[in-house]
Amino acid sequence: MRHVWKFLGLAGLVGVAATGAVIARSERQRRAYTPDEIRDRLRERIAEAESPTARQG
């Protein structure tokens, strides 16, 4: 039974580490945008939201 608890503890640590790695990766990708790129993307999203076809759907 002791081996089961060790395995569960190790699996939990691996899960926490993997989750942290995924979050760190997505944060790096998010921060890689320049302010101009972010501004352009926001303008595109606003234009899509304001288009007449978006309101009908």
Side-chain angles (χ1 to χ4, degrees):
M1 189 67 176
R2 183 174 224 149
H3 295 297
V4 173
W5 289 112
K6 285 183 181 180
F7 177 74
L8 288 175
L10 182 60
L13 288 175
V14 169
V16 168
T19 302
V22 168
I23 291 171
R25 181 178 179 220
S26 65
E27 186 69 16
R28 279 194 307 271
Q29 289 176 345
R30 186 183 68 80
R31 290 185 181 183
Y33 294 121
T34 65
D36 290 333
E37 289 173 329
I38 293 171
R39 200 172 299 115
D40 292 340
R41 288 180 61 157
L42 286 173
R43 287 181 179 148
E44 288 173 9
R45 290 175 61 185
I46 290 170
E48 288 175 7
E50 291 178 345
S51 70
T53 55
R55 291 182 191 158
Q56 292 175 358

